[in-house]
Amino acid sequence: MNNNHQALWDDCLRLIRANVTEQQFKTWFAPIVFESYSEAQHTLLLQLPSMYVFEYLEQHYVGLLSKVLARVFGTSVKLNYRIVEVKAQQGQGRDITTDVESDGPSIETVPVRQNINKSPSMLDAPRQQQLNPQLDPKKSFNNYIEGASNKLPRTVGLSIAEHPGKTTFNPFFVYGPSGCGKTHLINAIGLKCCETYPQKRVLYVSARLFQVQFTDSVRQNTTNDFINFYQSIDLLIVDDIQEWVNSPKTLDTFFHIFDHLFRMGKQIILASDRPPVDLTGVKDRLLTRFACGLIAELEKPNPQLCVDILSAKCKRDGLKIPADVIEFIAETANGSVRDLEGVVNSLMAYSIVYNSNIDMRLAERVIKRAVKVDNHPLTIDDIVEKVCKHYGVNQQNVFSKSRKRDYVQARQIAMYLAQKHTKMPASRIGQLIGGRDHSTVIHSCNTIEKRLKIDKGFMAELSSIENSFKLKQ
């Protein structure tokens, strides 16, 4: 518990440092040593190097100390000093210890030194109330199984939770397809941070809820209160930020919140189904901030990790599922953690309702109803092959740097269909189609979409190509 109080005193020092010059801080506040805090008596004991320092603090900084301590420890806190002087006497040092109880830091004893032209500082704001972090206690690191697809994000997440705002991983931007475990990971970071630093203000919020709150604040003319609340967070976690791509006002507001938190050394964690470069509609000034920390991709778990996740869930919930059934589920659930959990829940329900054992026959029955099994997923090569066949061009020409009209058209259509029918980001599609960058893919998709709106014959051509995909599958 003393470590928590030490952390609170460290928060006090940060506030003090922001309100005095660096020289004043080093001279009068840096030498102060936190000694103890008594919860029963609400008393903070600090160690000072000399009586002179004590007298100077009481004369010049009692007002500042009062505000800071009231804000961090509460208005009922009492402040005691212990003076520890080391004097040279016949070549030897000795400690002279004296307990001195300060008249402060109650607000009533603060001398009035106001300047009516001075803007209120952050110390004049009301003390922050306790905050519900809105985290799911079931999504912790204890049940977040590590595998090849999540090793880096999981390791980084643990480091952030143990040292929020202190690492180079700020902001931490994690992306990946639905069901790969993004929400579980960012929840786990928040829970671990709350456990390690209970005094910190941690908040998880979905992008949609954030947008609803912002819209309400605009309607009620309380936007400043909305922004001030989010700027008070120590660890802000925002999920599914891709939902903001067509919401410029929400993005502009978040930019100001992000910028403030980042400058104050607060930790920011963002999750999306795509990397920053593919967040079309987001201004560069925000994209560059998203990318200045660490961008980590979460891939769908491979069959072995799926087996490990299922085995851990069975052990945790006391379920008995045969090993061959677990392997079958892992191989057919398309690498989605949500699908895995849904299949297990369905198996248990069927087993209880029909009083039957969980076997391969029951698993096949449940899988058929619960999971869309894609035995022949469409690839970039499949799409390029069908497009080239339809227009009678060579694949090598489509991949080349040629600007010939027929090749450019086939190339743009292939990119458009790849983005429509696969889950690959634009950057990856560009790499696989002639080594282009993501901006080329985005431009191609926009070109095709505009043409589809005005050319019904062209729309029919693309429908014909897409029907050939279905015949393959």
Side-chain angles (χ1 to χ4, degrees):
M1 184 60 71
N2 212 40
N3 289 336
N4 293 337
H5 296 139
Q6 172 71 63
L8 290 176
W9 171 244
D10 291 340
D11 288 341
C12 292
L13 289 177
R14 280 191 286 272
L15 285 173
I16 291 170
R17 193 168 202 158
N19 286 273
V20 298
T21 67
E22 188 64 21
Q23 185 59 47
Q24 289 170 333
F25 179 82
K26 289 180 179 179
T27 303
W28 305 110
F29 297 99
I32 301 175
V33 177
F34 170 82
E35 191 160 308
S36 65
Y37 180 79
S38 170
E39 290 189 347
Q41 300 177 347
H42 301 291
T43 301
L44 172 67
L45 180 60
L46 300 177
Q47 188 182 114
L48 301 182
S50 69
M51 182 64 72
Y52 178 69
V53 172
F54 160 71
E55 292 173 350
Y56 196 91
L57 289 174
E58 287 290 283
Q59 182 179 356
H60 297 282
Y61 293 110
V62 67
L64 177 61
L65 280 167
S66 297
K67 286 187 176 182
V68 169
L69 293 177
R71 184 178 182 85
V72 177
F73 283 91
T75 55
S76 61
V77 67
K78 295 179 181 179
L79 176 59
N80 283 356
Y81 296 113
R82 186 185 301 277
I83 312 301
V84 180
E85 295 180 328
V86 179
K87 295 184 178 180
Q89 194 174 59
Q90 297 180 352
Q92 295 181 345
R94 63 190 184 93
D95 292 347
I96 302 175
T97 303
T98 308
D99 286 334
V100 183
E101 183 170 348
S102 167
D103 292 334
S106 63
I107 300 300
E108 290 77 9
T109 63
V110 179
V112 179
R113 297 174 185 172
Q114 295 180 343
N115 183 340
I116 59 174
N117 294 320
K118 184 180 179 182
S119 299
S121 73
M122 60 188 295
L123 294 176
D124 296 316
R127 187 168 181 262
Q128 296 161 357
Q129 302 299 311
Q130 290 295 320
L131 176 69
N132 182 349
Q134 303 296 328
L135 294 165
D136 185 346
K138 296 179 181 178
K139 292 182 171 69
S140 67
F141 278 113
N142 293 333
N143 56 11
Y144 190 76
I145 310 302
E146 182 178 306
S149 63
N150 63 18
K151 185 178 179 63
L152 173 64
R154 189 183 192 279
T155 302
V156 170
L158 269 172
S159 176
I160 290 172
E162 293 169 354
H163 309 285
K166 303 296 184 183
T167 68
T168 56
F169 312 131
N170 192 24
F172 180 41
F173 190 106
V174 59
Y175 74 94
S178 177
C180 67
K182 300 187 298 294
T183 299
H184 191 148
L185 174 62
I186 60 181
N187 257 269
I189 297 172
L191 288 172
K192 184 69 174 177
C193 183
C194 286
E195 177 187 330
T196 309
Y197 304 97
Q199 78 279 7
K200 287 192 177 295
R201 290 168 62 80
V202 178
L203 180 65
Y204 166 91
V205 63
S206 68
R208 182 166 298 178
L209 178 58
F210 180 94
Q211 191 167 5
V212 169
Q213 292 172 344
F214 169 64
T215 303
D216 288 344
S217 74
V218 172
R219 187 181 300 113
Q220 299 168 12
N221 198 28
T222 57
T223 305
N224 286 340
D225 293 338
F226 171 82
I227 293 174
N228 289 337
F229 167 76
Y230 274 97
Q231 288 182 340
S232 73
I233 306 300
D234 295 309
L235 170 56
L236 178 60
I237 304 169
V238 187
D239 203 358
D240 293 324
I241 66 166
Q242 73 276 357
E243 295 190 10
W244 290 342
V245 293
N246 295 315
S247 306
K249 291 184 179 179
T250 302
L251 286 167
D252 285 342
T253 300
F254 183 72
F255 169 80
H256 296 297
I257 293 170
F258 182 105
D259 216 36
H260 175 85
L261 294 177
F262 187 78
R263 285 187 290 104
M264 295 299 292
K266 307 301 184 182
Q267 183 68 50
I268 305 163
I269 299 175
L270 307 170
S272 172
D273 66 358
R274 66 201 73 167
V277 294
D278 290 336
L279 292 171
T280 55
V282 179
K283 293 180 181 178
D284 287 342
R285 65 175 185 173
L286 199 48
L287 290 178
T288 55
R289 283 165 171 78
F290 288 169
C292 71
L294 177 70
I295 302 172
E297 180 180 9
L298 263 178
E299 301 173 359
K300 283 194 172 183
N302 59 28
Q304 181 56 52
L305 180 54
C306 288
V307 168
D308 294 340
I309 292 171
L310 286 171
S311 299
K313 179 176 175 59
C314 291
K315 183 178 180 181
R316 184 173 62 253
D317 297 342
L319 307 177
K320 292 183 179 180
I321 300 180
D324 60 336
V325 174
I326 288 179
E327 291 181 6
F328 172 71
I329 297 171
E331 291 172 357
T332 55
N334 296 329
S336 169
V337 177
R338 291 195 186 97
D339 284 351
L340 291 175
E341 294 179 345
V343 169
V344 171
N345 293 336
S346 298
L347 281 173
M348 292 306 300
Y350 272 90
S351 174
I352 293 171
V353 171
Y354 295 104
N355 193 26
S356 60
N357 294 325
I358 297 178
D359 54 18
M360 188 65 75
R361 183 178 179 182
L362 180 59
E364 289 174 348
R365 182 182 178 186
V366 169
I367 285 281
K368 188 176 181 180
R369 289 168 171 78
V371 179
K372 182 180 178 182
V373 180
D374 187 4
N375 293 322
H376 301 285
L378 201 61
T379 66
I380 296 288
D381 290 339
D382 295 332
I383 292 171
V384 173
E385 178 189 347
K386 295 295 183 182
V387 171
C388 290
K389 183 177 180 180
H390 182 87
Y391 288 102
V393 297
N394 188 284
Q395 290 189 30
Q396 294 301 320
N397 292 329
V398 171
F399 291 152
S400 71
K401 303 295 183 183
S402 174
R403 300 298 301 168
K404 189 176 178 181
R405 183 176 179 180
D406 291 347
Y407 303 154
V408 171
Q409 176 178 262
R411 187 182 303 137
Q412 290 180 337
I413 291 173
M415 289 178 175
Y416 169 79
L417 293 174
Q419 189 171 69
K420 182 177 178 180
H421 291 280
T422 73
K423 296 180 180 179
M424 291 186 183
S427 55
R428 183 60 175 161
I429 293 172
Q431 289 174 0
L432 294 175
I433 303 181
R436 268 75 180 181
D437 61 23
H438 74 282
S439 61
T440 303
V441 178
I442 293 171
H443 171 73
S444 298
C445 293
N446 290 337
T447 301
I448 298 301
E449 287 174 354
K450 289 178 182 177
R451 186 175 173 185
L452 285 171
K453 292 178 180 178
I454 59 175
D455 190 340
K456 292 183 178 180
F458 182 63
M459 185 184 297
E461 287 185 23
L462 258 63
S463 295
S464 176
I465 297 173
E466 289 179 291
N467 287 333
S468 69
F469 299 160
K470 297 175 183 178
L471 290 175
K472 176 186 181 301
Q473 294 177 310

